Amino acid sequence: MQIPFVDLKSQYHSVKQEIDTAIKNVIDESAFVRGSHVKSFEKDYKTLFGVEHCISCGNGTDALYISLKALGIGPGDEVITTALSWIASSEVITQCGAKVVFADIEADYYTIDPLDIERKITKNTKAIIPVHLHGQAANMQAIMSIAEQYNLYVIEDCAQAHLGKYRGETLGTFGIAGTFSFYPSKNLGAFGDAGAIISNDEAFAIKARMFANHGAIEKPDHVLEGINSRMDGIQAAVLSVKLNYLKKWNQQRKRVADSYTQFLSQVPDILPPKIRSDSQHVFHLYVVQTNERDQLRSYLSDEGIDTSIHYPIALPFLGAYDYLKHCPSDFPVAFSVTQNILSLPMYPELATNQLEKILDTIIQRTVRKK
Ligand SMILES: *Cc1c(COP(=O)(O)O)cnc(C)c1O
């Protein structure tokens, strides 16, 4: 039995009929870009989050970029983000002409360390982009209180955390904006690229909507120059169907995670993820730590089990940031965890017999080592 890292086909088959009908409707209506399906997805999405505005766009990277642009962030400004994420979280800052400033992560949760945020604030700092990494909330209480004290915007990168919660509130509703990716493998995945921004701030929402649409609410009223970042009708129709299953799929991810964690608590050299108290982790990824990461990874691979690493190199140490001349001691926590982290197979449809095979395989390794 081969066990993939993610399995998009089994999810499609579980809702095939609804999806096929939804796609056919878009084609019958030729509502290919924006249009009625996109409008109705935006409405459903903002209702689900209980917010005033949802602005759909081309992908999760654009959602961040559009948000920064709508806030007027540009040359001379600094934006603080986490040392451990996908490069989208930081490259958008540079694309706006602002300066990327990295902060280290909290050892227990992999999310940005509020103490290091505070150390990195200068008179030029305009915003913080916390990332709810792996589906786990960043320390929003501390982050929002720093933001208030220093008068900074908070844009929450929720690309991995659809419907995750912190102290009873849904992630994406703390800052001026919450940004989402619907890349196919995310907790809510389209059949191509798609993204969205949620907000309760009307002035921000209008600017974001205009910037994403060539600077116009409705053409030909282009009041500023923007970009072309739109959601396709087919993506919206697929997402509207899948949105009805998101809570259930998140629960299934949680069940897989609970099984892993319960089992791994008996395995001495593999550390399961810690869950922040009073928060709901939605397990986009299930990330463990072990000193023998590379050996474990190749052993599992030989046994037919795919794993991955998120991320093998912390952002400040990527070639793209050579110019910042950072060294490991600048971000000791992010640097050290990247040597030990491993992402195990995680998707809602991961079956009991697959999970058993993964756990059995890990046990056999432990037995053999003794
Ligand atoms: C996937 C992801 C993004 C970017 O989303 P795209 O839709 O691929 O552009 C941004 N931030 C994080 C943390 C992500 O995981």
Side-chain angles (χ1 to χ4, degrees), residues 43-51 163 170 188 243 246-247:
K43 185 158 169 281
D44 293 347
Y45 206 67
K46 74 181 187 191
T47 305
L48 183 63
F49 283 81
V51 295
L163 292 185
T170 310
L188 180 61
L243 197 55
L246 179 56
K247 279 185 187 153

Side-chain angles (χ1 to χ4, degrees), residues 59-61 85-86 88-89 131 157 159-160 181 186 311:
N59 55 69
T61 308
S85 185
W86 177 236
S89 309
V131 180
D157 183 342
Q160 303 187 358
S181 165
K186 301 284 160 92
Y311 295 89

Side-chain angles (χ1 to χ4, degrees), residues 258-272:
D258 286 347
S259 302
Y260 272 136
T261 298
Q262 195 181 4
F263 167 78
L264 290 174
S265 61
Q266 298 148 44
V267 179
D269 60 344
I270 303 177
L271 204 68

Side-chain angles (χ1 to χ4, degrees), residues 20-48:
D20 290 358
T21 306
I23 292 176
K24 187 171 179 305
N25 289 341
V26 177
I27 297 170
D28 284 344
E29 293 166 33
S30 296
F32 294 122
V33 179
R34 302 180 88 206
S36 63
H37 298 275
V38 173
K39 235 182 212 149
S40 107
F41 172 72
E42 286 182 340
K43 185 158 169 281
D44 293 347
Y45 206 67
K46 74 181 187 191
T47 305
L48 183 63

